Amino acid sequence: MIKKIKENESVVKIRELLKNRRTRAFVSLGLWLIFFIFVFSLLGNSENTNHPAPVKIESNYQYQMTFLINDQTYVVNGVRNGKNESFSLSNQTYFLENDQLYLFFNDTKVLQNSTILLDIDFLKLRPEFFKKLVLQGNLEYTTNYESGVVKKGYSVPVSKFVELYDGSMITDDHTLTIELSENHGTLVEANIDFTNFQKYNQKAILNYQVEIVYSDIGEMEDIRLE
């Protein structure tokens, strides 16, 4: 095999060019360029393996969010179609319309100061944000079930999460964990542990986890505020 390589016409030509002082530098430069291109292509393939394409996401669905904050549980039931979203929390009805939060009170929509409820920005609980989030993290495991469901677990640096969350730059060695479940390529469930992020909260939060289950994906009608 080695003999065949040495006798290869291209190899012989390169060896002749390397012996020539006039062409030696150009040939050496070309060989180094080929080497670096090969190395970078390997690194690129490694990165793609570490950051696989997220599951297919939709912006039209019903959902149930279960928040476990310390020893308290909160359940949010909602429906979304694009930028319009309606959900219930603690016997109150809220609307998200064009990234603004409204409380529906006495048959009137009341604009809220922010989109934060339960100490988290509800706009950051949408699949689009999860897609950005996992691309900043590492794929830790993939579990395939006979039902066709595939679960993928990721670890995401808190510093990357905070940067995506509100644009702040911090130094933090901790990570958040997020698990996305897909069925036939479509996101059907998300589980996120926000505990290491919530430690920056002024409140004493020792545990903060969110489970989101999606249903009726792609079947929701338009939602409008009346």
Side-chain angles (χ1 to χ4, degrees), residues 125-143:
L125 297 176
R126 288 176 166 177
E128 297 94 321
F129 184 76
F130 298 154
K131 179 179 179 179
K132 296 178 182 179
L133 192 59
V134 298
L135 289 174
Q136 298 298 321
N138 293 318
L139 177 65
E140 301 293 344
Y141 62 85
T142 300
T143 306

Side-chain angles (χ1 to χ4, degrees), residues 22-83:
R22 295 182 179 180
T23 57
R24 182 183 305 159
F26 294 104
V27 174
S28 297
L29 178 60
L31 291 175
W32 276 111
L33 286 175
I34 293 173
F35 172 75
F36 282 120
I37 291 173
F38 174 73
V39 171
F40 287 137
S41 67
L42 289 179
L43 292 175
N45 290 335
S46 174
E47 182 177 0
N48 289 336
T49 301
N50 202 33
H51 300 87
V55 296
K56 179 183 177 182
I57 61 173
E58 299 284 352
S59 61
N60 183 301
Y61 48 79
Q62 289 195 66
Y63 61 86
Q64 182 177 84
M65 299 182 186
T66 303
F67 293 76
L68 180 59
I69 305 174
N70 291 339
D71 59 351
Q72 298 293 317
T73 300
Y74 304 87
V75 177
V76 175
N77 290 292
V79 57
R80 178 188 174 198
N81 188 324
K83 288 186 173 293

